[in-house]
Amino acid sequence: MKLLAGLSLLSIVPPSLCVPTASLYQVNDPTKVEQPLIKLKPQQNPLRELVSLDGLWKFALASGPNDTAQPWTAPLPKGLECPVPASYNDIFVDRKIHDHVGWVYYQRDVFVPKGWSKERYLVRAESATHEGRIYVNDHLLAGHVGGYTPFEADITDFVAAGEKFRLTIGVNNELTHETIPPGEISVGEFTGKRTQTYHHDFYNYAGLARSIWLYSLPRQHIQDITVVTDVDGRNGLINYDVKVANHTNGQIKISVIDEDGKTVANASGAHGTVKIDSVKLWQPGAAYLYQFQANIVDTHGKVVDTYSLATGVRTVKVSGTKFLINDKPFYFTGFGKHEDTSVRGKGHDQAYMVHDFQLLNWIGANSFRTSHYPYAEEVMDFADRQGIVVIDETPAVGLNIALLGLSGGESQTFTPEGINNNTQAAHKQAIRELISRDKNHPSVVMWSIANEPASQEDGAREYFEPLAKLSRKLDPTRPITFANVGMATFEKDRISDLFDVSCLNRYFGWYSETGDLAEAEVALEKELRGWEEKFNRPIIMTEYGADTIAGFHSVLGLPWSEEFQTQMLDMYHRVFDRIGSMAGEQVWNFADFQTTIGTMRVDGNKKGVFTRDRKPKAAAHGLRARWTNMDTRD
């Protein structure tokens, strides 16, 4: 096996990766602190308090790549301030900051509320792209590798309630062949400038792109909740598991509350099943959410902690060539998206979020894929409330050395010097953290564990088979998939039998048969029928599209014109309508987005049916006409 190169997996995996932790840091490294897997999102309620630390923070670049050998936790110099949440790259009119490779520092003063003296209190970062460290005054309290999932530091023993402390968060944007996503760093021969390259086609925005919180917990508190829903006739079932921090002599009491505020079911115990009579189901386009409320009640009947989890009762399964939600065939319409806007980069923005969902509704989309990383938790919560279906994806994009033409010839992705066991270990951790964070969202109907890997190459099966097994072990209730790349055809792919749904990214008419839609139509249909005959299961086209310059028109329908984009999508739809196992179509992309600037991309990828500032191209109207008149495909 070329991936393992004669070594057993555990022989080269750091010990901390053999258990589910949120940090890839090793215990024996004094600069790195191990963290438990993050569970519940903080919330405000009568027994928990939540303080937003969003706003302007002091900001500085590290003086060099080894700067954190002596962590910069003293007060930062006056000068730069950076908004949180936002990527820092496009904020400043400074090419040095825009192109920076390495560590940066955010810093601000924070007060712990005086009333928290009997509580535990923590600092939580929703993300730090791609590595983060939390310092309180001069103490390093938490470290985390992985740019799109949360981590936190318990600061109770370092700052007293009512005191002020200096909070510093270091963020490192470096990618290597052992990170998820992978990349390489080169050093200029003449200038010594460090340059980051990577194998994915979106810009490597960095910084604190999501919210930072200070929050309190009771000493004895609910640490995690897992719910799995089912339907029995007209009744809904919520199978639940509640974990508490520290031993409790009290009882776990469960209440289920409907949208009118009425309690419709009760239960006791940390594990069990709650039955809801005449249940109202969570359905695509018609979300209904119950509040699953867990309480710790002490021996005197006093509630010492409470947590309320929005819960939609629904079922998901694959049957033959159908994807079923609540035992009804569901046909995905929508997009691959990106967290990407002008100036903010990947910074989460509530206004853009709401507007994007409005555009999804206007165009008739019922779903999206979180290409190619977990989105902000606020987006997932909003999808739950809006009834939008989500394919939830890990940050494993770029596991394909040849894809962007970086190999210079014959490529080999899975090697000791390339995508190796340490990469696989980081990938496993990304899967653990994604499922741990998003397992309770009714909108999430499928896990995608990678985008466009080299699944046709030697070593692919050895790399992916343990990941597929881990995904099923962590969540046996949802189907799993990955987005298959065009070069890994149904004849060449080596891993698709490990998964439940064929998700295909295809660009016939653009990257191949360029501009020749008649030739592309034949090639596309041949490819789809090959997948249909081989697996006889649902097929979702998770990417198809063409770069299009808004306002560029051609009576001949030439590539890059709005006419060509419309005609190309129409061609794909004709083929989809002839394939019985098609279960969905998600256009690439929802909106134009930023990429590395070079000879291949001028100010980003232009495959959006909306511009980067959300103006519709002609294709948007064509999609709206199709999707708003589409019922189901039985």
Side-chain angles (χ1 to χ4, degrees), residues 2-3 5 12 176-180 182-184 199 398-401 412-424 457 463:
K2 295 183 179 179
L3 170 65
I12 61 173
T176 73
H177 65 98
E178 295 184 349
T179 62
I180 294 294
E184 298 89 27
H199 308 157
L399 304 178
N400 195 328
I401 302 302
Q412 193 171 356
T413 298
F414 304 99
T415 67
E417 299 77 24
I419 304 304
N420 61 21
N421 286 328
N422 290 336
T423 321
Q424 186 191 58
E457 289 187 20
Y463 181 90

Side-chain angles (χ1 to χ4, degrees), residues 491-543:
E491 299 104 334
K492 296 179 180 179
D493 174 89
R494 304 184 183 195
I495 68 172
S496 285
D497 62 294
L498 302 172
F499 299 87
D500 301 305
V501 175
S502 298
C503 286
L504 309 178
N505 298 352
R506 294 296 183 268
Y507 291 94
F508 297 105
W510 188 248
Y511 292 123
S512 64
E513 299 81 37
T514 306
D516 188 343
L517 295 183
E519 189 76 10
E521 185 166 354
V522 175
L524 172 62
E525 185 163 355
K526 177 183 177 183
E527 174 80 358
L528 290 178
R529 292 200 181 280
W531 284 94
E532 184 176 53
E533 292 172 10
K534 186 171 183 178
F535 291 107
N536 190 39
R537 68 187 189 192
I539 299 173
I540 303 172
M541 188 64 71
T542 38
E543 288 187 23

Side-chain angles (χ1 to χ4, degrees), residues 254-528:
I254 305 298
S255 299
V256 179
I257 303 163
D258 68 14
E259 290 189 352
D260 294 325
K262 178 183 176 183
T263 298
V264 295
N266 293 286
S268 296
H271 323 279
T273 300
V274 183
K275 185 177 76 169
I276 304 171
D277 296 332
S278 302
V279 69
K280 295 181 179 178
L281 298 180
W282 187 98
Q283 302 189 64
Y288 192 93
L289 294 173
Y290 293 90
Q291 294 299 317
F292 177 91
Q293 188 175 86
N295 298 318
I296 301 176
V297 181
D298 69 14
T299 54
H300 302 290
K302 179 183 178 181
V303 176
V304 298
D305 189 30
T306 184
Y307 194 93
S308 187
L309 181 71
T311 303
V313 179
R314 58 102 182 97
T315 62
V316 175
K317 65 181 177 181
V318 171
S319 179
T321 61
K322 302 298 183 184
F323 194 100
L324 304 178
I325 299 179
N326 300 326
D327 286 327
K328 296 178 181 178
F330 178 74
Y331 189 84
F332 294 77
T333 60
F335 300 94
K337 292 178 86 275
H338 267 299
E339 292 183 314
D340 176 276
T341 57
S342 179
V343 181
R344 299 168 185 82
K346 290 196 176 304
H348 177 66
D349 185 284
Q350 300 280 47
Y352 266 102
M353 179 186 74
V354 172
H355 187 59
D356 284 357
F357 273 76
Q358 286 286 304
L359 292 176
L360 291 174
N361 181 66
W362 172 83
I363 208 170
N366 59 25
S367 65
F368 61 84
R369 176 172 58 122
T370 69
S371 45
H372 304 294
Y373 39 81
Y375 289 178
E377 288 186 83
E378 291 87 347
V379 176
M380 311 307 291
D381 292 338
F382 203 63
D384 290 342
R385 297 196 297 272
Q386 296 297 309
I388 294 292
V389 171
V390 179
I391 301 173
D392 208 357
E393 191 162 85
T394 74
V397 56
L399 304 178
N400 195 328
I401 302 302
L403 187 57
L404 297 183
L406 300 176
S407 61
E410 288 295 322
S411 67
Q412 193 171 356
T413 298
F414 304 99
T415 67
E417 299 77 24
I419 304 304
N420 61 21
N421 286 328
N422 290 336
T423 321
Q424 186 191 58
H427 197 160
K428 286 182 177 180
Q429 189 62 21
I431 292 171
R432 291 186 189 103
E433 294 188 20
L434 171 68
I435 293 176
S436 177
R437 195 196 74 167
D438 290 350
K439 62 188 174 184
N440 294 321
H441 288 287
S443 59
V444 175
V445 300
M446 184 158 55
W447 305 114
S448 173
I449 70 170
N451 179 74
E452 297 188 346
S455 62
Q456 79 284 6
E457 289 187 20
D458 290 345
R461 191 169 188 91
E462 292 86 347
Y463 181 90
F464 276 99
E465 189 165 13
L467 302 182
K469 289 180 179 178
L470 175 64
S471 302
R472 293 191 190 282
K473 179 181 178 181
L474 293 172
D475 181 9
T477 70
R478 289 178 175 88
I480 63 170
T481 190
F482 76 101
N484 170 279
V485 70
M487 61 184 73
T489 64
F490 64 90
E491 299 104 334
K492 296 179 180 179
D493 174 89
R494 304 184 183 195
I495 68 172
S496 285
D497 62 294
L498 302 172
F499 299 87
D500 301 305
V501 175
S502 298
C503 286
L504 309 178
N505 298 352
R506 294 296 183 268
Y507 291 94
F508 297 105
W510 188 248
Y511 292 123
S512 64
E513 299 81 37
T514 306
D516 188 343
L517 295 183
E519 189 76 10
E521 185 166 354
V522 175
L524 172 62
E525 185 163 355
K526 177 183 177 183
E527 174 80 358
L528 290 178

Side-chain angles (χ1 to χ4, degrees), residues 52-75:
S52 172
L53 301 183
D54 292 354
L56 289 177
W57 291 52
K58 292 181 180 179
F59 179 82
L61 303 184
S63 58
N66 297 318
D67 191 69
T68 53
Q70 296 293 326
W72 194 356
T73 56

Side-chain angles (χ1 to χ4, degrees), residues 10-44:
L10 292 180
S11 67
I12 61 173
V13 175
S16 61
L17 293 178
C18 300
V19 294
T21 64
S23 172
L24 302 187
Y25 289 170
Q26 297 182 61
V27 179
N28 60 2
D29 185 337
T31 69
K32 299 180 178 182
V33 181
E34 209 173 62
Q35 288 288 287
L37 196 63
I38 298 302
K39 304 294 185 182
L40 294 174
K41 182 180 178 182
Q43 67 177 217
Q44 182 92 17

Side-chain angles (χ1 to χ4, degrees), residues 85-206:
S87 303
Y88 63 75
N89 307 79
D90 294 344
I91 298 291
F92 304 99
V93 187
D94 188 331
R95 184 69 180 269
K96 182 180 178 182
I97 297 176
H98 180 271
D99 297 343
H100 178 70
V101 178
W103 288 90
V104 302
Y105 293 97
Y106 293 79
Q107 192 176 86
R108 60 166 291 173
D109 290 335
V110 179
F111 281 93
V112 176
K114 190 174 182 179
W116 290 8
S117 60
K118 296 182 180 180
E119 311 296 315
R120 304 298 298 182
Y121 33 92
L122 301 89
V123 171
R124 177 185 174 105
E126 294 294 345
S127 69
T129 314
H130 294 276
E131 179 179 0
R133 293 175 180 174
I134 297 175
Y135 302 89
V136 169
N137 297 324
D138 296 327
H139 302 284
L140 170 60
L141 297 188
H144 179 258
V145 174
Y148 302 99
T149 41
F151 67 110
E152 59 190 24
D154 188 331
I155 68 171
T156 312
D157 297 331
F158 295 86
V159 186
E163 287 186 356
K164 180 175 74 172
F165 68 95
R166 184 174 61 252
L167 174 61
T168 307
I169 301 182
V171 184
N172 182 16
N173 66 351
E174 295 178 342
L175 298 172
T176 73
H177 65 98
E178 295 184 349
T179 62
I180 294 294
E184 298 89 27
I185 297 172
S186 60
V187 179
E189 179 180 357
F190 302 110
T191 64
K193 179 183 177 182
R194 304 173 80 234
T195 301
Q196 177 79 68
T197 57
Y198 37 91
H199 308 157
H200 55 266
D201 190 30
F202 56 94
Y203 190 75
N204 189 39
Y205 280 114

